[in-house]
Amino acid sequence: MADPLAGKRILLGVSASIAAFKAVALASDLIKTGASVDVVMTPNATRFVAPLSFEAITHRPVLTDLFDPAAGSIAHVSLGVDTDAFVVAPATADCIAGLALGLAHDALLATALCTRAPTLVAPAMETLMLEHPATQQNLETLRQRGVTIVEPAAGRLASGRVGRGRMAEPADIIDVLRAKIGRPADLAGRTIVVTAGGTQEPIDPVRHIGNRSSGKMGYAIATAARDRGARVILISAPATVPPPSGVELRPVITALEMKAAVEDAVQGADALIMAAAVADFRVASRAEQKIKRTGEELTLHLIPNPDIVAGIRSDTLVKVGFAAETSDLLAHAREKLIRKGLDLIAANDVTAPGSGFGGDTNQLVLIDRRGTEVLPLLSKREAADRVLDRVCSLLAERKASLPLDATQNG
Ligand code: CTP
């Protein structure tokens, strides 16, 4: 499946901040998604980055001058109208004030007034300017108008001071854009609980029993569900990659912590997707102090952890499990589907090329009570969307088969 932004027309507005150089990377990353990108710059932005930099990447003329006869007298109107999303990055305090007031004295602001497309604003400025009540009020005005503010991060600023005001990273801006326009919002209004990562079971204060889960598959599902409009509660055991933005993150370490978090999160949820690798055993009694080397053998007494997903009983919740197997994939997965009371299980052979731990691809077999679908080798994001396609169908079937009084409440 193509990137959700493929084929979209994105208008990038660049105002006069040192972060304008990051807008070049943003334009380049947007092009890589398959989107087409037009750029409009304020005159002062061209003092930081030449329009030619953007033209070289986008292969389109850049609008910088409202009164440039070569650009056509209504370039700002056609650019504003013919776009699927308007992304202002970086947005200076001055630009944000202009957007909030509806000023139109430069090409960027005039174009903004002509667009009705979803708009994202990524502020970039000194902390003092960002935190000034005037800027905060302008940002609030934009939010109330439905503009999405991609919050700036903390870090070293142009002044050398450290504080909030650095423009969000291009990858984060693109993530937010995907969430806003990338897909039909077929999970809007749904709450999806996703578990990810590998639980760790402590042996003593410095050691644990762990597993090789990277968290990537669960995070891809959380990201995809977010992009399809769901409210996502991500219960994450330790992982090797950063969690996605725009989800409710509930970090846990052990299987018992994950169990408690899942039991809490599924109240009122529509689906539970258990992508976490949960340790089947924990140490019976964790040592209070670091266990010292004695030269003797050490025996750990392990006791079973509860099966989290099997313990969740609900008529309305769609339950999806994962099965990472090294042999007899289908037989093991079918047995788990029944034993754990799942609606769907996504099985993969972790010894197959491209499907091992930590990679960016996966080859899943989706098994439900009706049958088996073998998916091709896909990126984890694409595989996540295929799992969610099935979750959407299961949710629709569930609603259709519920008694009338239950559907009325939901
Ligand atoms: N799972 C769970 N609680 C556990 C163990 C696993 O909820 N204590 C979930 C996993 O998140 C996954 C599914 O059950 O969605 C299958 O996990 P897996 O480890 O393959 O199953 P086990 O029952 O542990 O079987 P085995 O380790 O014997 O293969």
Side-chain angles (χ1 to χ4, degrees):
M1 201 188 297
D3 189 287
L5 294 179
K8 300 282 184 189
R9 296 161 305 175
I10 311 296
L11 177 61
L12 177 60
V14 181
S15 65
S17 154
I18 180 65
F21 80 92
K22 277 205 222 170
V24 178
L26 176 60
S28 167
D29 290 350
L30 282 169
I31 294 284
K32 285 182 203 146
T33 67
S36 63
V37 179
D38 278 294
V39 177
V40 54
M41 300 176 79
T42 65
N44 281 334
T46 64
R47 297 165 69 169
F48 286 97
V49 178
L52 189 60
S53 300
F54 290 104
E55 284 174 4
I57 287 168
T58 63
H59 302 147
R60 285 167 182 271
V62 171
L63 182 65
T64 56
D65 180 0
L66 259 187
F67 306 103
D68 176 6
S73 58
I74 53 152
H76 59 288
V77 180
S78 49
L79 276 184
V81 171
D82 296 332
T83 191
D84 294 309
F86 185 33
V87 180
V88 186
T92 61
D94 184 67
C95 174
I96 288 167
L99 290 169
L101 275 175
L103 299 180
H105 57 258
D106 63 35
L108 190 160
L109 293 174
T111 308
L113 282 182
C114 293
T115 190
R116 299 293 178 268
T119 300
L120 265 64
V121 166
M125 66 196 76
E126 287 291 320
T127 314
L128 288 168
M129 297 171 82
L130 179 68
E131 290 179 349
H132 194 284
T135 307
Q136 286 301 314
Q137 210 170 352
N138 288 332
L139 286 170
E140 192 47 38
T141 301
L142 294 179
R143 273 190 206 101
Q144 279 172 10
R145 246 178 244 158
V147 170
T148 301
I149 309 297
V150 190
E151 292 297 334
R156 201 184 136 82
L157 303 169
S159 64
R161 291 170 182 244
V162 174
R164 225 161 69 82
R166 277 169 67 96
M167 189 177 91
E169 290 304 318
D172 293 330
I173 296 172
I174 291 177
D175 265 357
V176 177
L177 189 60
R178 284 198 186 101
K180 215 155 160 78
I181 65 161
R183 284 204 56 113
D186 54 2
L187 287 172
R190 301 289 192 183
T191 298
I192 309 287
V193 180
V194 181
T195 68
T199 67
Q200 295 179 349
E201 308 299 325
I203 298 171
D204 67 15
V206 297
R207 303 183 181 95
H208 63 252
I209 300 174
N211 61 65
R212 293 179 55 202
S213 170
S214 66
K216 285 183 180 175
M217 192 62 231
Y219 284 5
I221 290 183
T223 307
R226 176 202 69 189
D227 290 355
R228 292 166 76 147
R231 169 186 172 221
V232 178
I233 302 175
L234 174 59
I235 299 170
S236 183
T240 60
V241 287
S245 54
V247 302
E248 292 174 39
L249 181 67
R250 302 192 184 169
V252 297
I253 305 282
T254 66
L256 289 182
E257 286 171 13
M258 181 168 278
K259 178 174 187 283
V262 168
E263 284 169 356
D264 178 61
V266 294
Q267 305 299 325
D270 296 285
L272 166 64
I273 304 178
M274 283 289 301
V278 185
D280 288 327
F281 299 94
R282 67 180 181 278
V283 178
S285 66
R286 169 192 166 165
E288 289 301 322
Q289 307 296 335
K290 185 180 173 196
I291 299 172
K292 291 308 218 181
R293 181 216 303 267
T294 60
E296 299 295 316
E297 283 182 6
L298 175 69
T299 304
L300 291 175
H301 180 201
L302 302 179
I303 55 173
N305 272 327
D307 190 320
I308 300 172
V309 74
I312 303 288
R313 299 273 166 210
S314 162
D315 291 336
T316 50
L317 188 75
V318 167
K319 287 202 302 176
V320 180
F322 273 76
E325 305 290 347
T326 55
S327 66
D328 296 331
L329 181 70
L330 295 183
H332 284 309
R334 283 196 189 106
E335 182 273 320
K336 283 177 191 172
L337 179 80
I338 306 298
R339 171 161 55 89
K340 293 171 189 261
L342 302 172
D343 298 288
L344 177 72
I345 192 157
N348 66 316
D349 180 347
V350 284
T351 62
S355 287
F357 288 105
D360 293 317
T361 55
N362 212 348
Q363 205 246 304
L364 295 178
V365 182
L366 302 183
I367 304 166
D368 64 13
R369 276 146 213 269
R370 283 182 222 154
T372 299
E373 181 190 3
V374 181
L375 300 182
L377 183 66
L378 296 170
S379 71
K380 285 189 171 168
R381 170 58 199 248
E382 288 170 314
D385 271 311
R386 300 291 284 266
V387 172
L388 291 177
D389 289 345
R390 298 287 286 265
V391 170
C392 283
S393 314
L394 286 163
L395 284 168
E397 283 168 25
R398 184 134 305 185
K399 190 154 189 199
S401 66
L402 279 179
L404 198 56
D405 54 344
T407 51
Q408 277 167 348
N409 291 334

